[in-house]
Amino acid sequence: MLVRSAQLFPLIVSSHLYHSCTGSVRQIFQWRLQTSAAAIIRGLRSMEPLKASQNPEVPTTSPSHTSTGASADAGSPASTHTASDKEKKPHVDLLPGETVIREGKAAILFPSANEVFYNPVQEFNRDLTCAVITEFARDLLAQRGVKVVVPGEKERVVVSLSEEMNEASVQMEEKNGAEEPAVTATVGEKCELGLRVLEGLAASGLRSVRFALEVPGLQSVTANDFSAKAAALIGRNAQYNGVSHLLQASCRDASMLMYEMRGKKERYDVIDLDPYGSPACFLDAAVQAVSEGGLLCITCTDMAVMAGNSGETCYSKYSSVSIKAKYCHEMALRIILHSLDQRAGVYQRYIQPLLSVSVDFYIRVFVRVFTGQATVKNSASKQALVYNCVGCGSFHLQRMGRRTSNGKHMKYSAATGPPVGPECDHCGQKHQLGGPIWAEPIHDLAFVQKVLSAVSGNPSRFGTSKRIEGVLSMVTEELEDVPLYYTVDSLSSTIHCNTPPLLQFRSALLHAGHRVSLSHACKNAIKTDAPPATIWDIMRGWEKANPVKREKLSQTSPAFKILSTEPSLEACFTVREDANPQSRKRHLTRFQENPQAFWGPKARAKASGNISTDLQDKRKKCQNKRKNQITDSSQLKNFPCKRFRQGTCTHGDKCCYSHDLELTKEEKME
């Protein structure tokens, strides 16, 4: 076979020059050597006839499932290999019972039995993670002289949500005249200066495969799972998608793996933890195994615990007491951030939140971790206790510490408090104490704007781009220095009046000279810097225009106490133009409807692969149980008496509920 000496000669000369150079010059020669090698291999392959048998398709169970290797898409795995890895894609046969699941650029082999966990509803979570890591890689690799190239992205754009413009104005970024980096990183290619990524709980490996196929600038991706079946499936999925040169499967305990990688030269740049339930047992290892300025991506699906159903359990896991309140979803975000900052502080490290979202049945936080003894001292002043009134829902925050600037020095002291009296000033009820929680901003608006601009400028990249754009647009509009929120319906429910329109209530706060915004965590949320006294004055003004029957109010109720006080502020409910945010004007997808029936968390994966039907039967039994109202009191005899079971029922035979021991036993068994 003839060899093109004109191509080999520059390669040989470059290799000799490489060994005589050091520093950044070597990086340029590495790039030129790779480019020359790729050109030679392409030239040699062009001389050989392409046979259909050299690129066999992997059979699938559905006509809609096509082989990844046969795809002609520019972003497909077949076109994102390096030249040295494009020789021949391994042939992977489907095992009995396996199906092919497609999401993004990935095609995942998945067993029909419940041996490996997979949740299709969290596609939004995975899309958002790919977008965040891409922007993180763009910023970090730019410092290393590497340019990140994203398929379908022509030029960087900035989406403007200013109040003066009705539509999003797309402004091209001005070129600063700086020289372009000599090294570029594209998806599917191994970048020696790129990021090292760990997915600690990978299950089927879908998330890691998508990282390898959709996130540029990666050096390696480690997909770990404690299940041997899951680890084997990860390896097969890596081969099936042609990313074995980037993705390595691991079968280890996630905590032990991260503890072993605590050395400064062994740490990961990105660690993604998406457990089934609470990530609390992995947080200590994660804050140690992430590199300086590295990215932690944490998912929590134990929302029942973090939203106030079990405050003592929340404290045992996250060192914070949760409260069952209307702002519970944002409080859950601040609880996990508090827990991360507390555990990082043990090792003289601190966190910087980039993005924190609460959607569907889970929360997702993206934080960077840094080291600095001086900054760690600020941790106490970043945490706060929450005093929540059990009557009217008013809340106050009490910082755990206090710091004051004294010239070049910072003085730290104990905080003074509490901010409330023994009883609520508005309704006379007691307060419940929650927290501590993270009281600082939970987003980095500059970083969020970069992610939003990238997704808006390349909407075909993700299947949930519209929803990502809607959620991130709301995040950019939130008041970053105002923790927690009220809801308009809960305020109206407290004083038993009809609910004011959202725009009118926002306008009343703006007329009173206060700032106000919505929240991505709740549809009817109101974030404002107005004190509770102003909020209740506005509600009193609304009640005067829409009076309630005060004669029916109990004198001990919060509504009676609140309405008995004359307002000190005259509320104006005239709708203002700036009361309607841009995300609402543009009708962005902010709060998505339930995608399917029983769309919540699926059953935990089992080694046997058997799917228990008890959970599904229990869900069906509890569906619409409040809609079937009992009209005949005799039907109550079909339900056991809870007081009789506890031994405190004093009604005897006159009790409207059943005292049958058999019914009580059945209830205990359920």
Side-chain angles (χ1 to χ4, degrees):
M1 180 182 295
L2 296 177
V3 180
R4 300 180 182 179
S5 59
Q7 291 180 345
L8 285 177
F9 181 73
L11 180 61
I12 297 173
V13 174
S14 299
S15 64
H16 286 291
L17 291 175
Y18 170 77
H19 293 288
S20 63
C21 301
T22 59
S24 59
V25 181
R26 278 197 172 191
Q27 296 181 1
I28 299 177
F29 271 109
Q30 286 178 355
W31 174 70
R32 293 298 302 271
L33 286 170
Q34 293 176 0
T35 307
S36 301
I40 293 174
I41 294 176
R42 285 196 299 269
L44 293 175
R45 286 185 182 168
S46 63
M47 302 172 61
E48 300 179 3
L50 181 62
K51 297 181 181 180
S53 59
Q54 291 179 342
N55 190 20
E57 291 192 1
V58 180
T60 57
T61 58
S62 171
S64 62
H65 298 143
T66 57
S67 172
T68 311
S71 175
D73 186 6
S76 65
S79 60
T80 55
H81 287 254
T82 58
S84 60
D85 292 320
K86 282 188 175 180
E87 296 178 356
K88 183 179 177 182
K89 190 173 176 181
H91 181 78
V92 181
D93 292 324
L94 291 178
L95 299 178
E98 278 188 340
T99 58
V100 178
I101 298 176
R102 293 189 174 277
E103 183 179 296
K105 299 295 183 183
I108 299 297
L109 305 177
F110 190 76
S112 58
N114 193 36
E115 296 177 348
V116 181
F117 184 76
Y118 167 72
N119 193 351
V121 178
Q122 287 211 15
E123 181 182 0
F124 171 81
N125 185 336
R126 291 182 282 267
D127 286 351
L128 181 62
T129 303
C130 289
V132 169
I133 296 180
T134 299
E135 294 309 306
F136 173 74
R138 195 192 304 272
D139 293 344
L140 190 61
L141 296 187
Q143 303 173 10
R144 304 177 184 177
V146 180
K147 180 182 179 181
V148 169
V149 179
V150 179
E153 185 178 84
K154 296 181 181 179
E155 292 187 55
R156 296 304 312 278
V157 296
V158 177
V159 177
S160 175
L161 292 176
S162 59
E163 295 291 336
E164 291 80 8
M165 304 189 68
N166 294 328
E167 298 181 357
S169 63
V170 180
Q171 305 172 348
M172 306 307 297
E173 267 191 349
E174 297 181 359
K175 297 184 178 180
N176 54 12
E179 295 182 0
E180 291 290 331
V183 182
T184 59
T186 59
V187 294
E189 292 186 356
K190 185 174 182 178
C191 179
E192 295 299 333
L193 299 176
L195 306 181
R196 297 177 62 245
V197 182
L198 168 66
E199 185 186 4
L201 310 160
S204 63
L206 170 59
R207 191 182 298 258
S208 294
V209 171
R210 289 196 59 185
F211 291 164
L213 293 175
E214 301 178 29
V215 179
L218 301 183
Q219 182 184 122
S220 65
V221 180
T222 302
N224 177 77
D225 200 281
F226 191 67
S227 169
K229 291 184 178 180
L233 183 61
I234 293 171
R236 297 183 68 244
N237 281 324
Q239 293 181 2
Y240 184 77
N241 289 270
V243 292
S244 298
H245 62 290
L246 273 177
L247 195 155
Q248 296 85 36
S250 171
C251 185
R252 299 282 305 280
D253 178 86
S255 295
M256 295 304 300
L257 175 61
M258 289 186 286
Y259 278 131
E260 292 177 2
M261 306 299 287
R262 290 178 293 176
K264 290 185 178 181
K265 296 183 179 180
E266 299 174 339
R267 293 172 178 172
Y268 294 99
D269 298 298
V270 180
I271 296 180
D272 189 297
L273 296 175
D274 187 4
Y276 189 97
S278 173
C281 56
F282 305 105
L283 298 183
D284 182 77
V287 296
Q288 298 182 68
V290 69
S291 62
E292 179 67 15
L295 180 66
L296 282 182
C297 314
I298 310 292
T299 300
C300 303
T301 57
D302 55 336
M303 285 300 295
V305 172
M306 304 186 74
N309 284 358
S310 183
E312 66 282 356
T313 303
C314 185
Y315 182 81
S316 65
K317 292 182 177 181
Y318 304 104
S319 301
S320 178
V321 178
S322 58
I323 296 177
K324 186 179 289 186
K326 292 296 182 180
Y327 49 75
C328 61
H329 292 92
E330 182 179 331
M331 187 174 182
L333 290 173
R334 296 182 179 275
I335 286 176
I336 185 63
L337 292 176
H338 156 74
S339 183
L340 282 169
D341 188 67
Q342 183 191 47
R343 294 168 198 247
V346 176
Y347 310 101
Q348 300 301 315
R349 312 193 80 182
Y350 62 94
I351 67 169
Q352 175 188 334
L354 295 181
L355 174 63
S356 307
V357 294
S358 175
V359 291
D360 299 334
F361 54 86
Y362 63 92
I363 61 175
R364 181 74 163 169
V365 295
F366 302 90
V367 300
R368 296 186 70 178
V369 181
F370 297 91
T371 304
Q373 184 177 5
T375 310
V376 170
K377 292 182 179 180
N378 299 332
S379 179
S381 59
K382 296 178 180 179
Q383 322 298 324
L385 296 172
V386 181
Y387 287 85
N388 181 75
C389 176
V390 298
C392 63
S394 301
F395 60 86
H396 298 79
L397 268 64
Q398 169 66 64
R399 296 276 180 161
M400 298 287 291
R402 181 183 179 186
R403 70 176 187 266
T404 55
S405 178
N406 186 13
K408 296 182 180 180
H409 303 282
M410 190 72 68
K411 182 180 179 181
Y412 299 93
S413 58
T416 57
V420 296
E423 297 178 349
C424 177
D425 296 335
H426 311 289
C427 67
Q429 301 293 322
K430 299 291 185 180
H431 291 92
Q432 55 182 180
L433 189 61
I437 64 173
W438 177 266
E440 295 293 299
I442 60 177
H443 313 291
D444 184 341
L445 294 185
F447 181 82
V448 175
Q449 189 67 56
K450 292 180 182 179
V451 179
L452 175 59
S453 300
V455 175
S456 303
N458 191 9
S460 61
R461 185 183 177 194
F462 302 115
T464 60
S465 293
K466 290 185 177 180
R467 191 183 182 195
I468 293 177
E469 183 180 358
V471 172
L472 295 187
S473 296
M474 292 198 70
V475 167
T476 59
E477 296 169 347
E478 290 183 8
L479 297 177
E480 57 178 340
D481 58 339
V482 178
L484 308 181
Y485 53 80
Y486 295 93
T487 59
V488 181
D489 53 343
S490 64
L491 295 174
S492 304
S493 177
T494 301
I495 61 175
H496 304 290
C497 71
N498 58 351
T499 304
L502 186 63
L503 292 184
Q504 292 189 24
F505 190 83
R506 284 170 54 91
S507 298
L509 288 169
L510 292 173
H511 283 302
H514 298 284
R515 295 179 298 147
V516 62
S517 74
L518 300 179
S519 173
H520 78 279
C522 182
K523 191 172 184 179
N524 298 323
I526 294 292
K527 292 177 72 72
T528 178
D529 58 354
T534 302
I535 294 176
W536 288 121
D537 279 345
I538 293 175
M539 291 304 300
R540 292 185 188 102
W542 177 258
E543 189 274 337
K544 285 187 176 182
N546 304 270
V548 300
K549 297 180 179 179
R550 301 196 181 188
E551 62 274 8
K552 292 187 177 181
L553 298 178
S554 173
Q555 295 185 359
T556 59
S557 65
F560 184 86
K561 182 70 179 298
I562 293 173
L563 295 178
S564 298
T565 305
E566 287 297 322
S568 58
L569 170 70
E570 185 176 352
C572 177
F573 293 96
T574 304
V575 177
R576 292 176 42 154
E577 181 64 25
D578 55 349
N580 196 14
Q582 288 296 317
S583 61
R584 196 169 183 266
K585 287 181 180 179
R586 295 167 56 195
H587 303 287
L588 299 179
T589 305
R590 302 174 301 161
F591 303 97
Q592 185 170 276
E593 296 181 358
N594 296 348
Q596 60 189 22
F598 306 107
W599 62 278
K602 308 301 179 184
R604 185 189 295 269
K606 296 183 178 180
S608 62
N610 296 326
I611 301 178
S612 175
T613 59
D614 295 342
L615 180 61
Q616 196 77 336
D617 293 340
K618 186 176 181 180
R619 284 176 173 174
K620 291 181 179 180
K621 180 180 178 181
C622 295
Q623 287 293 316
N624 301 324
K625 62 180 182 180
R626 295 185 179 180
K627 292 184 179 180
N628 301 324
Q629 299 292 337
I630 297 177
T631 57
D632 188 2
S633 60
S634 61
Q635 298 179 7
L636 296 176
K637 282 292 184 180
N638 297 326
F639 298 91
C641 179
K642 294 183 179 180
R643 293 185 177 180
F644 176 75
R645 183 182 61 189
Q646 299 171 356
T648 59
C649 182
T650 58
H651 297 287
D653 296 337
K654 295 182 180 180
C655 182
C656 58
Y657 293 97
S658 175
H659 287 187
D660 189 359
L661 295 177
E662 295 297 329
L663 287 177
T664 304
K665 291 181 180 179
E666 290 179 3
E667 187 186 43
K668 287 184 178 180
M669 293 177 62
E670 292 179 0

